[in-house]
């Protein structure tokens, strides 16, 4: 992961993240995040079991608290992230 910009409050961050295989179980998403996928594919499943796959070239926005899992399909994923994490 490499952050290219973080605002002075530390709540807003933009960067690139890459990973080999990764799977996070369904949990409430801990932040607001816009993801723009550059390489690879990912499957996201909500608490009701509805699943959607996103590939390189796709973008998705996940709101704070949305129950979702995140599973890399294949061996590699790279994305641009735009995160807003409000301070409590």
């Amino acid at each position: 992961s490499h952050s290219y910009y973080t605002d002075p409050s530390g709540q807003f961050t933009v960067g690139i993240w890459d990973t080999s295989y990764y799977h996070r179980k369904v949990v409430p998403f801990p932040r607001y995040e816009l993801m723009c996928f550059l390489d690879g594919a990912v499957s996201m499943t909500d608490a009701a079991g509805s699943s959607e796959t996103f590939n390189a070239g796709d973008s998705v926005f996940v709101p704070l608290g949305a129950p979702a899992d995140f599973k890399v399909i294949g061996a590699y994923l790279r994305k641009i992230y735009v995160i807003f994490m409000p301070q409590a």
Side-chain angles (χ1 to χ4, degrees):
S1 177
H2 180 79
S3 294
Y4 287 95
Y5 174 78
T6 301
D7 79 329
S9 74
Q11 297 178 95
F12 181 78
T13 306
V14 178
I16 292 181
W17 181 76
D18 67 340
T19 187
S20 57
Y21 179 79
Y22 174 83
H23 183 212
R24 185 190 66 229
K25 296 179 182 180
V26 176
V27 296
F29 210 71
R31 60 191 164 267
Y32 296 96
E33 185 172 347
L34 173 64
M35 303 175 204
C36 302
F37 300 103
L38 302 172
D39 294 301
V42 65
S43 171
M44 297 179 76
T45 305
D46 65 19
S50 179
S51 182
E52 190 162 351
T53 299
F54 301 94
N55 298 290
D58 293 338
S59 297
V60 63
F61 176 76
V62 182
L64 176 71
D69 86 335
F70 188 91
K71 183 177 181 180
V72 173
I73 300 169
Y76 181 72
L77 180 75
R78 185 174 184 192
K79 69 177 182 176
I80 296 172
Y81 61 84
V82 179
I83 292 172
F84 179 66
M85 192 175 322
Q87 294 176 351

